[in-house]
């Protein structure tokens, strides 16, 4: 981790026992206990590593215990006569797995310093047995409603008798290990962000009756205070630096006033090799100059007993579990180090921007102001006027006025979208949403097996179309807005009359159709399925008329050209193919994406194609030459869709998160982020005039966004 300190980093041969340790590493005397979690059979074994770099098997969990992301913690030996004996507590389970609460009296498997046999001194040592109360009655930590699959826990209290548990989705519980009862529950203020394998540490305190814990997970940072005397929980939000807030599942270790974060996994399958340092008392973040030798997440990080070394063990890289055990001198991380100057300046600027946004309650991207101001070459006087308004607002608390919107829109953004309506009605994930060509309606499809038609003006549900026996993947309007076609996981395609809501025809096939488009004239329909084949359908007869074959992996998207003479398709085979609609022959193959191509779509004039891929780029292609014209780097891996606005100057995209991104093509930068959904976005569409956006999400809602511009407001 530190090239200049190679003598302090040692590699341990862990090929025998190396899986995903999931932060269950427990320090016991001079060695570590490692609950080995992800065996194929889902059975766990305990292994132990001592500082002399060797591993030894201890025991297995009972056969009737199901393990998946359980929690193991070391208990204090307040009542034990032998301080070398270690008490371990293991608990976990969810609505899908059987709950367990077990304990172990661990005794070193390496030697017996007293010279006596272990069997004579301890009963049931080094094996998992039921956790019992003082009357030997089995105790189960957690109720049927609790999900401890991704739980973390720390022990505190004046007598080390309190177990603080954070668990999915955003809960905290306090369990008294002396009375064997829960004594408090709380909801963490995470802004509806789920807690998944967080960093959860307890802070040293001079007042033993007041426990303070720190929790970090994604963009959530919390100080959690528990008053043992009053039995109260108190929460304070902590800022998470902008670059680590995209990650969770990191390894972490707390040393005095410092928390170290190793690697992490992002929501878009990005894996980090970066090391961060958080100063607890100063509430300050630092991005360390030294990094892990590989991207890593779900690793265990632990400080050894004398505080001399930090060990990073196990975990996953971008593709699989890894065999790793890294050891680094703790002194390296305790001293103030020289940080990346550019990152530090940018982070401080972002912090100030966030404070301004919080103060004035707006969501403009101030960080792009400098770039966009230079691009539009504003006069210095006008720039000072804008900034003067902001400062005046901050110091006088006079509130925001519409004139400020006009000033910013005029000089900063060509288009600016605000929330317009939220449409609620689906009881399951909403999978797709589309405008009608006449701009009066919206059609949506959902996991609740229905298709729904909505009136845009009123935001009310017009009609519910029922007939599919499984979740509906996609639904679209015909070019004359009179017919809807829907595709479901029941391997059917259904045609519906918009006015009456009646089913016109049902097509059944051995494949599950994933997506489709109508031709510009409305006479033909193109669809893709799971068999690498593109199919063309006659709308009048509802019969298949042509097949296009050439992709060698799953096809992700297909679209007609604006003139209706060709098709473009995107595939997991990393290729974009152009097809002649009349002959069925391949015209051109566009290559350049090194990862799966998720989508490819024509511009409204048919001159360009925009595509996105798992290579974290958006690419714009010239149709005639087949060459890449522009590449936009995106900050996430799982880009799901991208498309042109009707003016061909702006792009809209979304990924596997709750945000929608707008991009200026000419500048090549993101110009706005739409936030409002509480779960991942699954579909977006743009009205024909480009002034309204509709989006849908796993949060079961549909949202309309309206354009505000200098010329008009909606």
């Amino acid at each position: 981790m530190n090239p200049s300190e190679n003598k302090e980093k040692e590699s341990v041969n862990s090929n025998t026992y190396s899986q995903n340790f999931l932060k269950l590493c427990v320090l016991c005397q001079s060695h570590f206990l490692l609950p080995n979690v992800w065996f194929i059979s889902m059975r766990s074994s305990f292994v132990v590593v001592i500082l002399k770099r060797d591993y030894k098997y201890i025991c297995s969990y009972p056969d009737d215990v199901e393990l998946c992301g359980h929690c193991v913690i070391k208990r204090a030996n307040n009542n034990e006569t032998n301080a070398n004996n270690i008490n371990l507590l293991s608990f976990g389970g969810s609505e899908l797995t059987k709950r367990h609460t077990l304990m172990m009296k661990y005794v070193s498997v390496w030697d017996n310093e007293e010279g006596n046999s272990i069997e004579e001194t301890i009963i049931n040592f080094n094996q998992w047995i039921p956790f019992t109360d003082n009357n030997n009655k089995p105790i189960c930590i957690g109720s049927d409603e609790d999900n401890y699959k991704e739980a973390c826990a720390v022990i505190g209290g004046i007598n080390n008798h309190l177990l603080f548990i954070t668990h999915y989705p955003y809960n905290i519980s306090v369990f008294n290990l002396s009375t064997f009862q829960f004594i408090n529950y709380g909801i963490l203020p995470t802004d509806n962000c789920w807690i998944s394998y967080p960093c959860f540490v307890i802070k040293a305190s001079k007042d033993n009756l007041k426990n303070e814990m720190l929790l970090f997970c994604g963009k959530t940072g919390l100080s959690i205070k528990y008053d043992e005397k009053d039995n109260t929980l108190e929460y304070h939000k902590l800022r998470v630096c902008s670059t680590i807030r995209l990650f969770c599942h990191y390894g972490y270790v707390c040393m005095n006033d410092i928390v170290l974060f190793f690697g992490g996994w992002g929501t878009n399958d990005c894996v980090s090799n970066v090391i961060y340092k958080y100063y607890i008392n100063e509430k300050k973040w630092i991005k360390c100059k030294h990094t892990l030798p590989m991207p890593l997440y779900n690793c265990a990080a632990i400080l050894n007993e004398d505080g001399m070394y930090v060990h990073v063990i196990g975990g996953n890289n971008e593709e699989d579990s890894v065999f790793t055990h890294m050891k680094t001198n703790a002194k390296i991380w305790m001293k103030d180090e020289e940080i990346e100057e550019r990152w530090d300046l940018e982070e401080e600027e972002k912090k100030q921007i966030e404070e301004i946004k919080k103060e004035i309650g707006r969501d403009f991207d101030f960080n792009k102001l400098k770039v966009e101001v230079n691009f539009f070459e504003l006069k210095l006087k006008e720039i000072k006027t804008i900034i003067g308004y902001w400062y005046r607002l901050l110091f006088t608390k006079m509130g925001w006025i519409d004139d400020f919107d006009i000033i910013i829109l005029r000089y900063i953004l060509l288009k600016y979208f605000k929330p317009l309506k939220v449409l609620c009605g689906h009881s399951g994930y909403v999978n797709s949403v589309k405008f009608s060509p006449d701009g009066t309606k919206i059609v949506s499809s959902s996991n609740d097996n229905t298709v729904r038609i909505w009136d845009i003006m009123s935001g009310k549900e017009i009609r519910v179309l029922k007939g599919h026996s499984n979740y509906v993947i996609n639904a679209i309007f015909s070019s004359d807005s009179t017919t809807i076609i829907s595709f479901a996981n029941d391997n059917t395609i259904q045609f519906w009359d918009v006015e009456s809501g009646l089913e016109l025809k049902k097509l059944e096939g051995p494949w599950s159709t994933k997506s489709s488009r109508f031709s510009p004239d409305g006479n033909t329909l193109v669809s893709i399925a799971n068999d690498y084949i593109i199919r063309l359908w006659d709308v009048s007869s509802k019969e298949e008329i042509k097949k296009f074959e050439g992709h060698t992996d799953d096809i992700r998207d297909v679209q007609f050209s604006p003139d209706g003479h060709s098709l473009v398709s995107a595939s997991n085979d990393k290729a974009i193919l152009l097809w002649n609609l009349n002959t069925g022959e391949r015209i051109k193959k566009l290559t350049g994406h090194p990862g799966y191509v998720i989508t490819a779509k024509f511009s409204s004039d048919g001159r360009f194609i925009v595509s996105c891929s798992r290579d974290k780029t958006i690419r714009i292609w010239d149709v005639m030459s087949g060459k890449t014209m522009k590449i936009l780097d995106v900050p996430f891996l799982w880009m799901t869709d991208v498309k042109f606005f009707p003016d061909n100057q702006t792009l809209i995209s979304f990924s596997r998160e709750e945000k929608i991104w707008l991009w200026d093509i000419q500048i090549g930068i993101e110009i706005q982020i739409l936030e409002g959904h509480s779960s991942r976005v699954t579909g977006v569409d743009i009205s024909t005039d480009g002034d309204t956006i509709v989006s849908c999400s796993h949060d079961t809602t549909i949202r309309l966004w309206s354009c505000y511009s200098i010329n008009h407001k909606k």
Side-chain angles (χ1 to χ4, degrees):
M1 285 178 282
N2 184 350
S4 65
E5 299 284 350
N6 287 334
K7 66 178 183 299
E8 302 295 355
K9 183 179 70 174
E10 302 176 23
S11 179
V12 181
N13 182 4
S14 57
N15 290 353
T16 305
Y17 298 106
S18 180
Q19 293 284 331
N20 183 347
F21 296 126
L22 287 174
K23 309 174 191 61
L24 301 184
C25 186
V26 182
L27 177 65
C28 294
Q29 301 171 32
S30 61
H31 46 280
F32 310 122
L33 293 178
L34 305 174
N36 222 356
V37 178
W38 295 119
F39 284 150
I40 295 175
S41 64
M42 297 305 291
R43 304 298 314 127
S44 285
S45 299
F46 250 71
V47 294
V48 61
V49 54
I50 198 166
L51 296 185
K52 64 181 182 181
R53 295 178 296 166
D54 195 4
Y55 288 76
K56 189 174 288 187
Y57 170 82
I58 299 178
C59 73
S60 296
Y61 274 81
D63 292 338
D64 62 342
V65 173
E66 299 178 60
L67 299 175
C68 185
H70 58 294
C71 187
V72 178
I73 195 163
K74 172 185 170 183
R75 294 188 60 188
N77 290 333
N78 293 340
N79 299 321
E80 291 285 347
T81 56
N82 188 349
N84 292 323
N85 299 341
I86 305 297
N87 289 329
L88 300 176
L89 183 65
S90 174
F91 62 94
S94 66
E95 67 278 4
L96 300 178
T97 58
K98 182 179 178 181
R99 300 182 183 281
H100 79 273
T101 304
L102 302 171
M103 61 179 292
M104 175 193 289
K105 292 185 177 181
Y106 171 73
V107 179
S108 173
V109 296
W110 299 97
D111 54 33
N112 183 9
E113 297 178 355
E114 301 299 326
N116 300 322
S117 64
I118 299 175
E119 289 84 349
E120 295 176 358
T121 58
I122 303 174
I123 301 174
N124 294 327
F125 66 95
N126 291 358
Q127 60 180 295
W128 287 117
I129 60 175
F131 179 57
T132 59
D133 61 15
N134 297 329
N135 298 317
N136 289 325
K137 179 183 177 181
I139 299 295
C140 183
I141 297 177
S143 66
D144 292 338
E145 292 77 27
D146 294 329
N147 188 337
Y148 284 168
K149 177 183 175 182
E150 301 173 0
C152 280
V154 295
I155 285 183
I158 192 169
N159 295 315
N160 290 318
H161 64 297
L162 298 180
L163 182 65
F164 300 95
I165 308 168
T166 62
H167 58 95
Y168 176 92
Y170 22 71
N171 302 89
I172 183 169
S173 304
V174 185
F175 184 83
N176 191 315
L177 292 167
S178 298
T179 63
F180 307 100
Q181 292 181 336
F182 281 99
I183 58 175
N184 205 331
Y185 296 89
I187 302 297
L188 300 171
T190 64
D191 298 327
N192 291 324
C193 296
W194 294 342
I195 298 300
S196 175
Y197 300 118
C199 165
F200 189 42
V201 298
I202 193 161
K203 178 181 175 182
S205 174
K206 295 180 180 179
D207 188 344
N208 293 332
L209 289 174
K210 293 185 178 180
N211 301 266
E212 182 177 1
M213 294 145 282
L214 303 181
L215 181 144
F216 295 99
C217 184
K219 61 183 180 182
T220 298
L222 292 174
S223 167
I224 306 168
K225 296 182 178 180
Y226 176 75
D227 191 312
E228 190 172 336
K229 181 179 180 181
D230 299 332
N231 189 23
T232 56
L233 285 163
E234 181 181 332
Y235 313 102
H236 298 278
K237 291 190 176 182
L238 301 174
R239 183 180 182 274
V240 182
C241 73
S242 60
T243 45
I244 199 177
R245 69 179 58 158
L246 302 174
F247 295 91
C248 56
H249 292 220
Y250 23 60
Y252 62 89
V253 64
C254 186
M255 303 185 298
N256 298 329
D257 178 45
I258 293 174
V259 182
L260 284 174
F261 297 82
F262 299 93
W265 173 81
T267 55
N268 301 292
D269 288 349
C270 300
V271 183
S272 172
N273 68 339
V274 180
I275 301 172
Y276 290 91
K277 188 189 299 186
Y278 180 73
Y279 289 90
I280 297 175
N281 293 328
E282 298 177 37
K283 299 180 180 178
K284 178 182 178 181
W285 287 91
I286 283 182
K287 179 183 177 183
C288 300
K289 294 188 71 174
H290 306 300
T291 61
L292 294 169
M294 70 185 80
L296 196 64
Y297 71 100
N298 279 344
C299 58
I302 193 166
L303 188 68
N304 72 333
E305 190 175 46
D306 58 11
M308 293 289 292
Y309 295 97
V310 176
H311 296 256
V312 179
I313 306 171
N316 297 76
N317 60 17
E318 293 171 317
E319 297 179 355
D320 205 351
S321 299
V322 292
F323 307 117
T324 181
H325 181 168
M326 291 171 283
K327 170 185 169 185
T328 181
N329 195 317
K331 292 181 180 179
I332 297 173
W333 309 108
M334 293 299 294
K335 65 183 181 180
D336 292 332
E337 62 177 315
E338 184 181 346
I339 61 175
E340 293 186 10
E341 184 176 355
R342 179 180 174 184
W343 178 88
D344 191 41
L345 292 174
E346 290 178 352
E347 189 62 25
E348 182 61 30
E349 185 178 79
K350 290 174 183 176
K351 181 179 179 181
Q352 293 175 6
I353 290 169
E354 289 171 4
E355 291 173 354
I356 293 174
K357 286 181 178 181
K358 186 184 296 184
E359 182 74 20
I360 65 179
R362 310 302 287 184
D363 57 356
F364 299 117
D365 194 344
F366 293 90
N367 200 33
K368 295 293 189 294
L369 178 60
K370 295 178 293 185
V371 177
E372 293 162 352
V373 164
N374 290 334
F375 177 79
F376 289 109
E377 298 180 350
L378 296 183
K379 297 177 182 178
L380 182 60
K381 181 179 179 180
E382 293 170 325
I383 299 173
K384 288 182 178 179
T385 301
I386 295 173
I387 296 175
Y389 278 128
W390 288 337
Y391 274 104
R392 183 185 175 198
L393 171 67
L394 290 175
F395 289 105
T396 62
K397 310 286 185 181
M398 62 179 290
W400 196 268
I401 60 176
D402 290 341
D403 288 344
F404 294 172
D405 280 342
I406 300 299
I407 292 171
I408 293 175
L409 292 171
R410 181 178 178 184
Y411 297 115
I412 307 303
L413 298 176
L414 298 178
K415 288 177 180 280
Y416 179 77
F417 286 85
K418 287 187 175 182
L420 179 63
K421 289 185 179 76
V422 180
L423 314 182
C424 300
H426 283 293
S427 59
Y429 295 163
V430 186
N431 297 319
S432 73
V433 63
K434 297 288 190 302
F435 283 107
S436 62
D438 61 15
T440 63
K441 301 178 185 67
I442 293 168
V443 63
S444 60
S445 65
S446 169
N447 276 18
D448 62 12
N449 302 354
T450 69
V451 176
R452 296 173 190 248
I453 306 173
W454 309 79
D455 178 73
I456 293 178
M457 288 297 294
S458 65
K460 294 182 179 179
E461 184 180 279
I462 301 173
R463 194 162 283 109
V464 181
L465 310 180
K466 298 180 179 180
H468 286 294
S469 61
N470 208 324
Y471 61 84
V472 188
I473 302 169
N474 197 6
I476 58 173
F477 283 98
S478 61
S479 56
D480 60 5
S481 302
T482 62
T483 305
I484 286 174
I485 183 170
S486 59
F487 311 85
N489 204 41
D490 57 10
N491 296 350
T492 65
I493 303 174
Q494 295 197 27
F495 292 78
W496 310 83
D497 179 71
V498 172
E499 186 65 28
S500 65
L502 297 176
E503 180 185 305
L504 301 175
K505 187 170 184 177
K506 178 187 288 188
L507 303 177
E508 299 186 26
W511 59 85
S512 175
T513 302
K514 298 187 293 185
S515 183
S516 68
R517 312 270 188 223
F518 277 101
S519 61
D521 61 12
N523 295 327
T524 53
L525 181 79
V526 66
S527 69
I528 54 176
N530 296 320
D531 54 4
Y532 311 170
I533 298 174
I534 301 170
R535 290 176 169 82
L536 201 65
W537 306 81
D538 181 85
V539 173
S540 299
S541 65
K542 314 297 189 296
E543 300 294 332
E544 180 183 312
I545 55 178
K546 195 170 292 182
K547 291 181 180 179
F548 301 82
E549 300 183 60
H551 282 294
T552 58
D553 206 335
D554 285 343
I555 303 172
R556 306 296 293 263
D557 195 17
V558 65
Q559 188 194 36
F560 285 97
S561 62
D563 61 12
H565 296 321
S566 58
L567 293 171
V568 63
S569 57
S571 168
N572 280 359
D573 60 16
K574 305 177 184 178
I576 300 169
L577 300 183
L578 286 167
W579 307 85
N580 184 299
L581 195 63
N582 296 322
T583 65
E585 296 178 350
R586 192 179 80 186
I587 304 171
K588 207 176 261 88
K589 182 178 182 179
L590 311 182
T591 58
H593 281 298
Y596 297 162
V597 185
I598 309 302
T599 187
K601 292 182 173 64
F602 283 102
S603 59
S604 61
D605 57 12
R607 296 173 53 202
F608 303 99
I609 289 170
V610 64
S611 63
C612 65
S613 164
R614 283 201 65 184
D615 62 13
K616 299 175 68 176
T617 67
I618 295 172
R619 295 177 183 242
I620 298 174
W621 311 77
D622 178 75
V623 172
M624 288 296 293
S625 66
K627 295 182 178 179
T628 303
M629 304 301 295
K630 188 179 286 287
I631 299 176
L632 308 181
D633 294 319
V634 297
F636 32 74
L637 179 63
W638 263 113
M639 176 80 75
T640 307
D641 197 10
V642 62
K643 61 183 67 176
F644 286 99
F645 269 74
D647 62 7
N648 296 325
Q649 300 300 311
T650 309
L651 299 174
I652 186 169
S653 70
F654 63 93
S655 64
R656 287 186 175 179
E657 55 183 54
E658 63 273 12
K659 301 175 183 178
I660 301 165
W661 299 67
L662 302 185
W663 307 83
D664 185 283
I665 295 175
Q666 187 172 0
I667 311 174
I669 62 171
E670 161 256 311
I671 55 175
Q672 192 182 356
I673 302 176
L674 306 182
E675 297 184 82
H677 285 293
S678 60
S679 188
R680 62 172 288 191
V681 176
T682 52
V684 296
D685 198 21
I686 310 162
S687 62
T688 53
D689 61 7
D691 287 341
T692 309
I693 295 170
V694 65
S695 60
C696 59
S697 165
H698 275 185
D699 64 12
T700 74
T701 69
I702 297 166
R703 291 179 178 263
L704 284 166
W705 313 80
S706 184
C707 175
Y708 285 65
S709 72
I710 187 64
N711 297 318
H712 67 283
K713 280 190 175 184
K714 281 194 173 184

